[in-house]
Amino acid sequence: MVLPMSILLDLALGLVLLSILYNSYQRGFLASLISLAGTAAGFLLAAFASRPLAERVYNAVLAQRVERYVADTLLAPDGPLSVVMSGIDQAGNAAVQAITDFLTRYGLDYYSSRNAGEMGGEIFGQIGEFGADPAAAIAQVAIRPLVMTVLEIAIFFLLIFIIRIVVRVAAHVGLGVNNIPLVGGVNRMAGLLCGAVYAVMMGFLLSMGLVLLAGLGKNQWTYLNSAVLEQTFLIRHFLDLRAYLP
């Protein structure tokens, strides 16, 4: 029997989290606490800084390129949206439904806080009511959330990586406590508790990393896309923690 990819991803993440708990037990409380505190500080810094930095990078470097991409590919004569957009005045609700289906098929609504129907309606609203350029409307409403999500996660991981280098050096200071009689055992059990909190943080980071990879693959990879991630259990619950971030 071949297990679905969603289950395999959950199992792989579960094994990683169990290894984190075991390593935290082995390292003990002080080393685990230093790792946890440093990672938590880096996590908060990255959470607060990644969004503003991503906004700056997108507006300064990527906005016009995204619009050109939409115009040259999606709206090209043989592009997937060219037929729908060419009949926008006559298509009405059918056109909205067509672009909604397109957004859903490519998983673009997965990267937005709005569903595909709302996004499709807004695109045609901008074009019909405000005379917006179709490429600009599609780029702003549908493509920008995907690019921003990928960019924000990439910056998030970059900041985490830099801080982790500093934390790993500091954590070695606490390893010697495990060699103290009696104290070493208590230290290890307390380290397990720190490891549980650390595992939750790493579970979230790894789940976000899968979203980043799916985005980099333009959501077209058979074994890693928004549909697969939606079908997971463990990963999906970790991704739900995004709602509590700034």
Side-chain angles (χ1 to χ4, degrees):
M1 182 182 68
V2 179
L3 292 176
M5 191 60 188
S6 57
I7 295 179
L8 292 176
L9 289 174
D10 273 337
L11 288 175
L13 179 60
L15 290 175
V16 171
L17 298 184
L18 287 175
S19 70
I20 290 175
L21 291 175
Y22 176 76
N23 287 334
S24 296
Y25 172 79
Q26 291 293 99
R27 297 170 71 190
F29 175 72
L30 187 55
S32 297
L33 180 62
I34 293 173
S35 293
L36 175 61
T39 302
F43 185 89
L44 291 175
L45 174 62
F48 278 99
S50 58
R51 183 72 183 183
L53 289 175
E55 290 275 3
R56 291 190 177 187
V57 172
Y58 181 88
N59 293 332
V61 180
L62 299 177
Q64 293 183 351
R65 296 183 182 182
V66 170
E67 289 187 21
R68 285 199 300 270
Y69 167 80
V70 173
D72 295 341
T73 56
L74 301 183
L75 295 177
D78 58 344
L81 290 177
S82 59
V83 176
V84 174
M85 301 304 291
S86 63
I88 183 173
D89 294 333
Q90 295 78 27
N93 291 334
V96 175
Q97 186 59 49
I99 196 168
T100 296
D101 292 342
F102 170 83
L103 297 173
T104 303
R105 183 167 65 254
Y106 286 91
L108 295 175
D109 56 322
Y110 179 78
Y111 298 93
S112 172
S113 59
R114 293 164 293 177
N115 61 44
E118 292 174 328
M119 294 168 68
E122 183 175 345
I123 289 172
F124 280 91
Q126 288 190 17
I127 297 171
E129 296 177 21
F130 304 107
D133 176 67
I138 295 172
Q140 177 65 25
V141 177
I143 308 299
R144 186 179 187 276
L146 167 61
V147 177
M148 279 295 299
T149 298
V150 173
L151 189 60
E152 187 175 350
I153 295 175
I155 293 174
F156 183 90
F157 275 105
L158 177 61
L159 293 174
I160 288 288
F161 174 75
I162 294 172
I163 295 170
R164 281 290 297 162
I165 293 175
V166 178
V167 170
R168 287 178 69 88
V169 174
H172 283 289
V173 176
L175 293 176
V177 178
N178 291 328
N179 298 323
I180 302 176
L182 298 179
V183 175
V186 176
N187 187 55
R188 284 193 171 90
M189 291 304 298
L192 184 62
L193 295 178
C194 285
V197 179
Y198 185 63
V200 171
M201 295 176 60
M202 292 306 297
F204 174 78
L205 291 176
L206 293 173
S207 299
M208 292 282 280
L210 292 175
V211 175
L212 173 62
L213 290 176
L216 292 175
K218 298 181 180 179
N219 218 37
Q220 299 301 300
W221 291 340
T222 304
Y223 298 108
L224 183 58
N225 54 58
S226 59
V228 171
L229 294 176
E230 282 279 19
Q231 293 169 5
T232 60
F233 175 80
L234 189 60
I235 293 171
R236 181 162 46 84
H237 279 75
F238 276 120
L239 291 176
D240 287 342
L241 296 176
R242 289 180 293 182
Y244 302 99
L245 293 177

